[in-house]
Amino acid sequence: MSEHLSNVVYLFIAAATLTIACWKALALRRDPTPTLALTTSMFLCASMVYAMASPEGYRNVGEMTGQPSFATLPVYLGILICFSLVHIITLLWDPRLRQRASSLRRTVSAWSAVYIAAAALMVLFFTLADLAGPADPLRFNTAFSEDPMVLLFLTVFLATLSSGTLNTFRQCRQLRLDDPQLQHSLRAFGIAMLGVFGYVVCGAPAIVLSAFGNHTLDTVGVFGSTCGVVGTIIMCYGLSGGAIGAWLRERRDFKALQPLWELVVAGVDQNLAFSADSSRNHRLAANVTFNLHRRVIEILDGIRALRPWVSPGSAEAVYRLHQERLAAQPGAAVPMAEQELQAAATAAALRQAANRLQRFKHERGLGDHQGPLQPPDGPLTPLPGENTPAADERDRLLSAAKALAHPLVAAALREFEEERHDEPTSTPLSRTASSIAPQPAVDSTVGRRDSTLDHLTDRAG
């Protein structure tokens, strides 16, 4: 790797790791855990290492200290610190060690002592070495390996790095975690450790030969830094890839819930919103988790406010039209999954309730009135899936939001409105939960339902 390319790659990685470190620091403020603290420290250390390891940074450190090769010491110590932190993180993730706190403390303490001792020896040998003369940022290992102290310095560094990376690789291969995101990170760690060990595989032979005055493999030693770069990139992905994926999913879910939020919050009572900018997406970069949780809570509050206006007829129509579609196309129509059908029934019930509320406001000249209104008398009509566990509410609301524009929901609402206009009185709210289920066709509405079904079949096809 040439010096110019090394500058570009190293400084890019320095900027990327610093960005991830800042992101992890924000997460650490919200959730101060040991693994997050170690992860943040590792990324901060990696950003400084790559900034100093770049040829430009290496020479600047040399000029400031008056010793051209001085940057080698903090760079190699930083590399050791980074991979020791990754090793300790994998130990803290080990469920077998976590079950025995004393065993976990002993294991972490023992490895920490090994890394501290190695760092102390490296400082000692580097201080005693004769590093006079110009420095080549990419060829320190082979340029000064004839000095016994430098050779001891490199031996301790490579031996400790080999031990740490290989033990971390073995740990990653053995662990089986319940959290799929952490398991994915472990697999990435294992691959990263092999990449970093490639630095040792390339560097050690070049150092041994150069110590005897043979510089045939110097270029191979320089190539070892490329293995280290690849391993670092994979390690960064392992520690942040899953979190980035979760962050992207949360942004996607936040935006997917927007139509449901507009229906049951903005369209019902904007006082239910946490703040005036609840409907905007401009603050999603750093607060996406908080905003998503807030959105779910606001929607649930809006549904609760809309509940008195819910009638069972629209949900009934969803189930009924679905059954009629299956009966009209035996063997050809694919039945909807239970969760999807329940989401469509919920969406229809909420859209019908919102329409009923808007008609009530219009009839009484309330216009854009905000705040609670006197709901209709009578018992509340249950909504499909309203007993969903709290942990599954996000998925239920996402399914309902997606179903708002489903052709089955539109057809059910049309049929319900036609039936409502044909009846001498509006459908009472005293219908029970058992009524929200597939019902047999009624003769007086067969013709109307058939036309609706034809329309729905055309849309679904």
Side-chain angles (χ1 to χ4, degrees):
M1 189 184 297
S2 66
E3 285 199 11
H4 177 70
L5 181 59
S6 296
N7 275 322
V8 173
V9 173
Y10 283 24
L11 293 178
F12 172 78
I13 295 177
T17 50
L18 180 60
T19 301
I20 298 174
C22 295
W23 182 30
K24 294 292 183 182
L26 291 174
L28 181 63
R29 288 188 60 188
R30 297 191 300 268
D31 184 21
T33 61
T35 52
L36 262 179
L38 292 174
T39 302
T40 305
S41 302
M42 192 280 294
F43 278 116
L44 283 173
C45 182
S47 65
M48 291 186 288
V49 164
Y50 273 96
M52 288 187 292
S54 65
E56 188 68 26
Y58 191 96
R59 290 196 171 91
N60 287 335
V61 172
E63 291 176 2
M64 288 187 294
T65 59
Q67 185 175 344
S69 300
F70 180 80
T72 301
L73 179 61
V75 167
Y76 282 22
L77 288 176
I79 292 172
L80 209 60
I81 291 171
C82 286
F83 290 98
S84 67
L85 293 176
V86 172
H87 188 187
I88 293 173
I89 288 171
T90 59
L91 293 175
L92 294 177
W93 281 347
D94 192 335
R96 298 165 300 179
L97 290 175
R98 287 205 308 267
Q99 291 173 1
R100 303 185 303 275
S102 59
S103 178
L104 177 62
R105 282 195 299 270
R106 285 195 303 270
T107 304
V108 171
S109 299
W111 276 107
S112 298
V114 169
Y115 290 122
I116 292 172
L121 287 174
M122 287 172 62
V123 172
L124 174 63
F125 294 143
F126 191 87
T127 304
L128 297 175
D130 180 12
L131 300 175
D136 185 336
L138 301 179
R139 295 178 182 267
F140 173 88
N141 292 356
T142 53
F144 293 96
S145 59
E146 295 181 15
D147 185 299
M149 291 297 105
V150 172
L151 190 59
L152 287 173
F153 168 80
L154 293 174
T155 299
V156 173
F157 170 65
L158 293 179
T160 309
L161 187 62
S162 299
S163 177
T165 52
L166 292 179
N167 275 281
T168 305
F169 171 74
R170 180 179 59 85
Q171 182 84 358
C172 293
R173 294 281 294 179
Q174 292 178 348
L175 286 184
R176 294 295 180 269
L177 305 180
D178 295 332
D179 189 329
Q181 181 176 322
L182 293 182
Q183 190 65 44
H184 182 73
S185 296
L186 280 176
R187 286 195 297 269
F189 282 175
I191 298 172
M193 293 305 106
L194 290 181
V196 175
F197 185 66
Y199 172 85
V200 179
V201 172
C202 294
I207 292 170
V208 171
L209 285 181
S210 63
F212 291 98
N214 186 340
H215 293 274
T216 305
L217 297 181
D218 284 11
T219 302
V220 176
V222 173
F223 179 75
S225 62
T226 303
C227 297
V229 167
V230 172
T232 300
I233 292 173
I234 296 173
M235 186 179 63
C236 289
Y237 168 76
L239 281 169
S240 58
I244 292 174
W247 180 76
L248 292 173
R249 285 192 298 274
E250 288 177 342
R251 283 180 59 90
R252 178 200 65 198
D253 290 351
F254 182 92
K255 293 176 180 179
L257 288 171
Q258 181 74 19
L260 186 58
W261 187 92
E262 295 287 350
L263 179 70
V264 303
V265 178
V268 174
D269 183 359
Q270 292 191 9
N271 293 328
L272 297 170
F274 180 78
S275 63
D277 64 351
S278 287
S279 62
R280 303 171 191 166
N281 300 335
H282 66 278
R283 299 183 64 187
L284 282 182
N287 300 317
V288 60
T289 301
F290 169 77
N291 283 319
L292 177 60
H293 290 171
R294 186 182 72 182
R295 169 143 293 189
V296 169
I297 292 171
E298 290 176 352
I299 290 174
L300 291 175
D301 287 344
I303 291 175
R304 188 178 299 111
L306 202 57
R307 279 290 304 282
W309 307 90
V310 173
S311 299
S314 54
E316 286 179 0
V318 168
Y319 288 110
R320 187 169 58 246
L321 287 174
H322 179 254
Q323 292 297 326
E324 292 178 0
R325 176 170 173 257
L326 295 179
Q329 299 176 320
V334 179
M336 296 172 63
E338 180 60 31
Q339 181 181 2
E340 186 181 0
L341 185 59
Q342 186 182 88
T346 302
L350 293 176
R351 283 185 57 181
Q352 176 271 324
N355 291 340
R356 187 180 181 195
L357 175 60
Q358 294 305 321
R359 284 197 301 269
F360 178 84
K361 289 182 178 181
H362 178 72
E363 290 170 358
R364 285 158 180 75
L366 297 176
D368 295 330
H369 172 83
Q370 301 295 327
L373 295 171
Q374 182 63 37
D377 295 330
L380 295 178
T381 300
L383 280 171
E386 65 180 0
N387 295 322
T388 300
D392 299 328
E393 281 288 14
R394 173 176 159 188
D395 291 336
R396 181 176 79 97
L397 296 181
L398 283 168
S399 297
K402 181 180 178 181
L404 287 175
H406 197 285
L408 182 63
V409 173
L413 287 175
R414 279 196 304 272
E415 177 173 303
F416 174 76
E417 290 298 325
E418 289 173 358
E419 290 180 351
R420 188 180 67 84
H421 286 304
D422 288 348
E423 292 175 358
T425 58
S426 60
T427 304
L429 291 177
S430 57
R431 309 276 293 273
T432 61
S434 60
S435 65
I436 306 181
Q439 299 291 333
V442 180
D443 292 342
S444 60
T445 59
V446 167
R448 184 165 56 253
R449 280 201 307 275
D450 286 345
S451 62
T452 304
L453 181 59
D454 291 340
H455 175 80
L456 177 61
T457 301
D458 293 340
R459 292 287 300 276

